[in-house]
Amino acid sequence: MVATYLKKWVGSRLLSRTSRRGGLDLSKMKMFPRQVSLPLRREGLDPAPEMERIRETEPVHKLAHLFGMNVWMVSGYAEAKAVLADSTNFSNDIRPLIASDPNKPSEGIGGLGFTDPPDHTRLRKLLTPEFTKRRLARLEPAIEKIVNDQLDLMEAKGPVADIVADFAFNVPFLLIADLLGVEEDDRDRFRALGPARFDLSGGGIGVFGSASESRDFLFEIVRKQRKDPGDGLIGSIIREQGDTIDDIELGGLADGVFLGGYETSASMLALGTLVLLRDPDNFARIRNEPGAVDTIVEELLRYLTVVQVAFPRFARHDQELFGHQVKKGDLVAVSLSGADRDKEIFGPNAESFWPERVPAAHLAFGHGMHRCVGAELARMELRAAFTALAHRFPDLSLAVAEEQLRFRDFSIVYGVESLPVQLHATAGAQQAAG
């Protein structure tokens, strides 16, 4: 108890000092305050129990008052959709909070998630054609090959493998590297840049430090491809747009594709496998019922919602938000995982994994103009991976007690550290089944 008190006291002193020294700079913070951690807390695969109570009584809830601004959490489904769709009253520009000048293009944070119109509109138009169903169809053979190659490696490594290290991270990494056109020589460095981007346990120093390293790497790739455009997305945009898009913007777009398609898909593959191991009937349905994987993947996306919170929104002016007075500059955090368990939308069993429910539009990919541009690619990847896994290893089972699993605490993208599995039924289990 004393240690906890001291930690809180030291944290509050550090945060107070940060605030006094010329304003808030999230990138210099060594810890994020506990008061705002609720949207990132889970018990196993479920949001913290407190989330359900707050959503039902106060779907727009003030979490804290820090650095002169209120921090609000939106966990109701209808309220979440309204905020996510509203670019008139809310901004995504985070640069003032990381000591970056919004008026200097050289200090652009890059990517789409922290960008407002008209820049967001212009940049998204460059990516959207690459992620249509028609254009993505050409990736199906590559996805199938990547998945089966990784399953071959798992089979050779067996009888026990780690779904996280041996499958879930490798599949999306190889796909994104191919999609962007990252050369083989650069991939080892590229691989290590993803997971730390979402880990808030080290405060802003860790998150924004990792972000800076990742963007710098992709800026290098862009500069290289300016001279010799490759076959991937980066080279394609360079050939089509030339100097109308600068290195910072293109590196930021590439970083957004990497960010949205690597850690998130890896977490979905690992946690989705865990859910299916808990529910062998639906695992068997993937194998035996054509088309079943489609509804199962959609329910996994809703149930897990691994991206726990949307990109932060900042109030552009004083306003009323569903009965609450929000001040200009206040931060509004939309709990995607909370909204996707809303019983008003998903029924009384919203806390359960149930692919038979009446379909409703989940928020796992966000909503509005900042909705994930790679949503269909993610679906393709998940459908291919779970289908191949169910066919290759129909007797797949956990190799450890579920109580031994360690989940990723205080991370924007929820995940499990390791998922050891037995690839095939043991001789004893086969005899018992027979």
Side-chain angles (χ1 to χ4, degrees):
M1 183 176 293
V2 173
T4 301
Y5 171 79
L6 286 173
K7 184 176 180 180
K8 288 182 178 178
W9 182 83
V10 171
S12 67
R13 296 287 291 175
L14 286 171
L15 296 175
S16 176
R17 188 179 303 171
T18 302
S19 182
R20 289 198 305 268
R21 289 179 177 175
L24 174 62
D25 182 355
L26 294 177
S27 66
K28 298 293 192 296
M29 289 172 58
K30 294 183 179 179
M31 65 175 67
F32 281 104
R34 176 75 178 173
Q35 305 99 296
V36 298
S37 69
L38 176 59
L40 305 180
R41 298 205 304 266
R42 293 204 190 190
E43 290 188 3
L45 299 181
D46 300 316
E50 190 179 352
M51 180 67 76
E52 182 178 2
R53 178 184 60 78
I54 290 175
R55 181 180 57 246
E56 292 183 354
T57 59
E58 199 177 15
V60 176
H61 171 75
K62 188 163 86 170
L63 285 175
H65 181 79
L66 298 167
F67 315 113
M69 68 178 177
N70 297 313
V71 179
W72 300 88
M73 180 183 74
V74 178
S75 58
Y77 180 90
E79 294 82 0
K81 282 189 73 174
V83 171
L84 295 175
D86 188 351
S87 60
T88 301
N89 294 305
F90 297 98
S91 166
N92 278 49
D93 193 345
I94 200 175
R95 286 176 292 180
L97 295 186
I98 57 171
S100 178
D101 187 346
N103 298 311
K104 293 182 180 178
S106 62
E107 294 189 16
I109 193 166
L112 296 173
F114 297 115
T115 310
D116 290 333
D119 288 337
H120 177 274
T121 309
R122 175 176 58 85
L123 293 172
R124 191 175 176 101
K125 281 182 179 178
L126 301 180
L127 280 184
T128 300
E130 300 293 330
F131 288 92
T132 61
K133 285 187 178 182
R134 184 178 62 82
R135 295 286 284 270
L136 289 174
R138 74 191 190 282
L139 294 177
E140 286 182 355
I143 294 172
E144 186 175 339
K145 183 178 188 311
I146 287 170
V147 167
N148 285 316
D149 285 351
Q150 295 309 305
L151 293 178
D152 288 343
L153 292 172
M154 281 177 59
E155 180 86 69
K157 183 177 181 177
V160 173
D162 180 4
I163 287 289
V164 174
D166 299 327
F167 185 66
F169 268 89
N170 293 341
V171 169
F173 171 76
L174 292 169
L175 180 61
I176 291 297
D178 282 350
L179 179 66
L180 290 176
V182 178
E183 296 176 1
E184 293 286 344
D185 293 346
D186 293 317
R187 292 191 179 188
D188 284 344
R189 182 180 165 200
F190 191 40
R191 185 187 296 269
L193 297 176
R197 296 287 295 275
F198 301 102
D199 183 3
L200 296 180
S201 60
I205 289 177
V207 171
F208 290 102
S210 300
S212 177
E213 186 179 354
S214 174
R215 288 198 307 274
D216 287 346
F217 169 77
L218 284 162
F219 294 156
E220 287 178 26
I221 299 295
V222 168
R223 284 192 289 268
K224 243 194 265 186
Q225 295 207 22
R226 284 280 182 197
K227 300 173 185 175
D228 184 19
D231 295 329
L233 179 65
I234 294 173
S236 174
I237 292 177
I238 288 173
R239 282 191 294 272
E240 292 176 9
Q241 302 297 322
D243 293 335
T244 61
I245 182 170
D246 61 35
D247 290 356
I248 290 174
E249 289 179 327
L250 182 49
L253 282 181
D255 187 49
V257 172
F258 170 54
L259 203 61
Y262 178 34
E263 173 84 1
T264 52
S265 293
S267 291
M268 271 302 305
L269 284 172
L271 293 177
T273 300
L274 175 58
V275 173
L276 292 171
L277 292 180
R278 289 177 171 180
D279 187 352
D281 288 345
N282 276 304
F283 193 48
R285 285 184 62 215
I286 292 176
R287 188 168 60 255
N288 299 324
E289 294 181 25
V293 70
D294 295 351
T295 55
I296 288 172
V297 162
E298 287 307 305
E299 175 66 353
L300 285 171
L301 286 163
R302 180 206 69 85
Y303 176 67
L304 293 169
T305 310
V306 296
V307 179
Q308 306 201 81
V309 291
F311 288 104
R313 266 63 175 176
F314 302 93
R316 294 183 185 272
H317 52 80
D318 292 359
Q319 59 190 279
E320 181 178 328
L321 183 63
F322 295 97
H324 296 270
Q325 292 302 315
V326 173
K327 299 291 186 183
K328 179 179 179 180
D330 280 1
L331 189 155
V332 179
V334 174
S335 170
L336 301 176
S337 54
D340 272 345
R341 299 291 184 95
D342 192 330
K343 291 179 172 61
E344 292 290 325
I345 303 299
F346 300 104
N349 65 343
E351 297 289 338
S352 302
F353 172 70
W354 190 51
E356 290 77 21
R357 76 178 66 252
V358 177
H362 59 72
L363 301 180
F365 295 117
H367 177 69
M369 72 176 185
H370 286 283
R371 184 177 183 274
C372 176
V373 72
E376 187 54 36
L377 177 60
R379 288 187 170 104
M380 290 169 57
E381 195 174 0
L382 294 173
R383 290 193 293 256
F386 289 130
T387 298
L389 193 66
H391 279 89
R392 181 73 69 95
F393 304 117
D395 301 316
L396 194 73
S397 61
L398 270 179
V400 298
E402 190 168 328
E403 295 74 30
Q404 293 180 244
L405 299 178
R406 291 180 57 247
F407 295 93
R408 199 162 289 157
D409 190 31
F410 210 38
S411 177
I412 297 169
V413 177
Y414 194 62
V416 63
E417 298 288 354
S418 176
L419 190 67
V421 292
Q422 187 87 31
L423 300 179
H424 300 286
T426 61
Q430 290 172 339
Q431 290 173 2

